[in-house]
């Protein structure tokens, strides 16, 4: 996270991410969370108020919570500490993971129910097929199974994307922009795979050598997602400027 990043700029970025997740059809009504670490040494994070649709989130409505998901500010909004378990696990151990995003999308849940993970069926898919972690299902992620935190961190390793088996998708990033970029394109990879498999046609994949070459090309990109993030925020400023409030 840039040293000059302020709480207000993080609030606006995270509110923008909530609006965009809703815009692109990646919500599960009021469930799932996007979180971001606030500047400073204390473990404080911004998360959505529980029970709000993602399209309703604004910068000021986001709630500050501690590492256990408990409110760290005076607020009239409910929060869901149990729903923060996955996020707290990653934030506690990966301080470079400033932003954590978790979704329950149809395509993501379909792939999470399959063996094999992301297949190299498309250029978009290749960015993830060699760098996506896998975490086995352990029931509803809640605060009565805190030992799962250790296994979540272990399974994520150094990856920035993860498939939660029988559950959904997770991405992390040094910025909201990076985490959103990874979530958007991981979701696209899942949608491509579900659509391709549904045709019943024999699927073709590039050679392992070509997959390696293309994957390496993606790894050379700097400021991951910032170009599209800036464009998406311009879109929100035109169509949903209230996210900044």
């Amino acid at each position: 996270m840039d040293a000059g990043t302020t709480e207000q700029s993080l609030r606006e970025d995270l509110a923008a991410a909530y609006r965009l997740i809703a815009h692109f059809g990646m919500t599960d009504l009021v469930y799932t969370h996007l979180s971001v670490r606030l500047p400073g040494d204390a473990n404080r994070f911004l998360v959505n108020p529980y029970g709000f649709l993602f399209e309703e989130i604004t910068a000021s409505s986001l709630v500050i919570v501690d590492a256990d998901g408990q409110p760290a500010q005076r607020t009239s909004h409910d929060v869901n500490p149990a729903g923060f378990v996955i996020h707290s696990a990653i934030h506690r151990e990966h301080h470079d993971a400033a932003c954590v995003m978790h979704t329950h999308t149809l395509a993501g849940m379909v792939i999470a129910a399959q063996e094999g993970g992301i297949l190299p069926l498309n250029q978009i898919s290749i960015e993830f097929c060699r760098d996506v972690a896998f975490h086995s299902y352990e029931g509803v992620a809640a605060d009565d199974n805190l030992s799962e935190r250790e296994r979540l961190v272990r399974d994520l390793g150094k990856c920035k994307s993860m498939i939660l088996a029988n559950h959904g998708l997770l991405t992390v990033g040094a910025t909201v922009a990076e985490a959103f970029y990874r979530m958007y394109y991981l979701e696209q990879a899942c949608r491509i795979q579900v659509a391709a498999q549904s045709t019943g046609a024999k699927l073709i994949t590039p050679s392992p050598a070509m997959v390696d070459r293309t994957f390496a090309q993606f790894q050379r990109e700097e400021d991951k997602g910032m170009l599209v993030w800036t464009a998406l925020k311009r879109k929100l400023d035109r169509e949903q400027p209230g996210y900044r409030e």
Side-chain angles (χ1 to χ4, degrees):
M1 185 183 298
D2 188 275
T5 302
T6 66
E7 178 178 325
Q8 182 58 30
S9 66
L10 289 173
R11 283 181 174 274
E12 292 181 9
D13 272 1
L14 192 61
Y18 275 104
R19 296 293 185 99
L20 290 165
I21 290 287
H23 175 77
F24 290 113
M26 295 191 286
T27 71
D28 182 11
L29 299 179
V30 301
Y31 302 104
T32 73
H33 305 277
L34 321 177
S35 61
V36 69
R37 180 187 299 276
L38 286 173
D41 296 331
N43 283 321
R44 301 187 311 144
F45 312 91
L46 291 172
V47 70
N48 50 318
Y50 194 41
F52 280 56
L53 295 171
F54 282 21
E55 66 196 45
E56 298 178 292
I57 302 299
T58 64
S60 62
S61 71
L62 292 165
V63 180
I64 300 174
V65 298
D66 62 20
D68 294 315
Q70 297 294 337
Q73 67 170 79
R74 295 182 61 182
T75 176
S76 59
H77 298 313
D78 291 333
V79 295
N80 181 18
F84 194 66
V85 167
I86 291 174
H87 296 251
S88 66
I90 308 304
H91 282 304
R92 282 172 184 265
E93 301 299 328
H94 290 274
H95 290 277
D96 56 335
C99 183
V100 179
M101 299 190 177
H102 171 47
T103 62
H104 299 161
T105 64
L106 179 58
M109 290 188 291
V110 170
I111 300 306
Q114 296 182 1
E115 294 184 356
I118 302 295
L119 303 177
L121 300 178
N122 180 271
Q123 179 169 288
I124 288 173
S125 312
I126 293 173
E127 183 171 8
F128 296 94
C129 67
R130 296 284 174 85
D131 190 36
V132 61
F134 184 87
H135 177 68
S136 297
Y137 188 63
E138 297 191 33
V140 176
D143 52 11
D144 63 351
N145 184 18
L146 296 182
S147 64
E148 185 180 4
R149 289 176 173 177
E150 297 177 5
R151 292 182 288 278
L152 276 163
V153 171
R154 177 200 66 199
D155 292 342
L156 180 63
K158 295 183 179 180
C159 295
K160 294 191 175 181
S161 304
M162 183 158 68
I163 295 173
L164 304 172
N166 312 108
H167 188 171
L169 306 177
L170 181 141
T171 62
V172 303
T175 62
V176 175
E178 181 183 0
F180 182 85
Y181 171 92
R182 293 185 183 282
M183 181 57 75
Y184 177 85
Y185 282 108
L186 180 59
E187 170 69 12
Q188 290 300 102
C190 291
R191 292 184 185 187
I192 290 166
Q193 188 162 322
V194 171
Q197 291 172 330
S198 71
T199 66
K202 183 177 180 180
L203 303 179
I204 59 172
T205 57
S207 69
M210 187 55 64
V211 171
D212 287 342
R213 179 177 183 273
T214 307
F215 178 77
Q217 288 175 314
F218 277 116
Q219 303 316 299
R220 291 198 292 268
E221 293 181 11
E222 297 181 359
D223 295 325
K224 183 70 77 174
M226 191 56 67
L227 187 65
V228 295
W229 182 248
T230 302
L232 287 169
K233 286 183 70 176
R234 290 198 303 269
K235 175 181 178 65
L236 283 180
D237 285 335
R238 291 191 303 270
E239 300 176 3
Q240 300 182 50
Y243 80 93
R244 292 186 182 271
E245 296 176 359

